[in-house]
Amino acid sequence: GENVEQHPSTLSVQEGDSAVIKCTYSDSASNYFPWYKQELGKGPQLIIDIRSNVGEKKDQRIAVTLNKTAKHFSLHITETQPEDSAVYFCAASYGSGGSYIPTFGRGTSLIVHP
Amino acid sequence: DVKVTQSSRYLVKRTGEKVFLECVQDMDHENMFWYRQDPGLGLRLIYFSYDVKMKEKGDIPEGYSVSREKKERFSLILESASTNQTSMYLCASSGDEQFFGPGTRLTVL
């Protein structure tokens, strides 16, 4: 089955700096790569996703890049703010719509210092 | 506003008790999931269901069972709770996107 590795487990940055979280996956058939943000006391929430026919996707201060050859994908957050502090999870899956079963990374705790 | 709700935010049970965790979604999704979340281990899939009365084992089904009698409701059952089942339990449902509930923090004493 799919195996997703996520690094680092903890990331501490100063407000305004950029943050990068990296994930690798093992199953070359995976074609959907979502990223989730989990704030304290809440369930994870989808913040951005990318499909295998796209190399990069941006949404305001966040972006995700995908390298299918190397089987890795990354989350980039620019101009970090204290409210970006949360646990971030990457995931990989095959399928789309309601049929996908994602495999999650172990999470990255991002701390943004004011 | 789409929602996945879980019956309890916090639950304390004793070893050997039967525990029911309830999850309800209002998005008419066919797929529903139960995960447990432990520090350093991420989200691990316990069971999922792709239709009423259908269920599939995830990565860690031992010690758990599930029930899906109605499309909107997916229940996780611990037949005889043990201390190693102390964890955060997250329910999710999916259409084009996976939506999570707020979680139930279960403590088994």
Side-chain angles (χ1 to χ4, degrees):
Chain A
E2 178 64 275
N3 181 50
V4 177
E5 299 283 340
Q6 182 173 348
H7 298 281
S9 57
T10 305
L11 181 58
S12 184
V13 300
Q14 288 297 128
E15 183 177 359
D17 287 351
S18 294
V20 181
I21 302 170
K22 298 182 179 182
C23 290
T24 61
Y25 62 99
S26 60
D27 189 348
S28 57
S30 289
N31 59 1
Y32 177 64
F33 307 91
W35 285 88
Y36 294 85
K37 176 183 181 182
Q38 185 178 25
E39 297 176 331
L40 199 61
K42 297 183 179 180
Q45 183 175 9
L46 180 73
I47 55 171
I48 195 168
D49 56 13
I50 191 167
R51 299 186 186 276
S52 60
N53 58 346
V54 175
E56 183 175 1
K57 184 177 179 180
K58 288 183 179 179
D59 183 4
Q60 298 182 356
R61 295 187 297 108
I62 61 174
V64 58
T65 58
L66 171 65
N67 183 327
K68 283 223 76 179
T69 303
K71 295 208 275 289
H72 65 71
F73 57 113
S74 301
L75 178 71
H76 304 253
I77 306 174
T78 58
E79 299 172 21
T80 54
Q81 301 168 3
E83 52 264 38
D84 294 329
S85 296
V87 179
Y88 292 81
F89 292 97
C90 63
S93 68
Y94 174 76
S96 60
S99 65
Y100 75 96
I101 310 296
T103 299
F104 287 86
R106 294 190 173 193
T108 296
S109 178
L110 174 64
I111 303 164
V112 181
H113 299 280
Chain B
D1 193 19
V2 296
K3 272 191 177 173
V4 178
T5 57
Q6 296 183 228
S7 51
S8 304
R9 293 301 303 273
Y10 300 93
L11 210 51
V12 179
K13 296 292 182 181
R14 297 209 172 271
T15 303
E17 280 193 80
K18 190 169 186 177
V19 182
F20 293 87
L21 302 183
E22 306 284 344
C23 175
V24 177
Q25 51 100 359
D26 65 0
M27 295 163 280
D28 202 35
H29 286 161
E30 292 182 348
N31 287 3
M32 296 188 74
F33 308 79
W34 274 106
Y35 296 89
R36 66 176 282 174
Q37 182 177 15
D38 300 288
L41 297 179
L43 280 70
R44 294 182 291 167
L45 183 63
I46 304 171
Y47 269 96
F48 65 98
S49 167
Y50 53 88
D51 202 352
V52 175
K53 296 192 185 295
M54 306 301 289
K55 60 184 180 183
E56 293 286 343
K57 292 180 179 179
D59 299 319
I60 51 165
E62 296 78 19
Y64 304 94
S65 62
V66 290
S67 173
R68 185 116 181 252
E69 295 297 318
K70 294 184 178 182
K71 190 175 186 179
E72 67 271 17
R73 189 179 296 270
F74 191 35
S75 302
L76 180 70
I77 303 155
L78 288 66
E79 292 289 341
S80 178
S82 63
T83 54
N84 62 11
Q85 292 178 309
T86 291
S87 187
M88 170 70 82
Y89 290 88
L90 289 163
C91 174
S93 72
S94 70
D96 290 333
E97 177 183 335
Q98 196 171 38
F99 292 90
F100 284 86
T104 295
R105 185 165 293 283
L106 173 67
T107 301
V108 183
L109 302 175

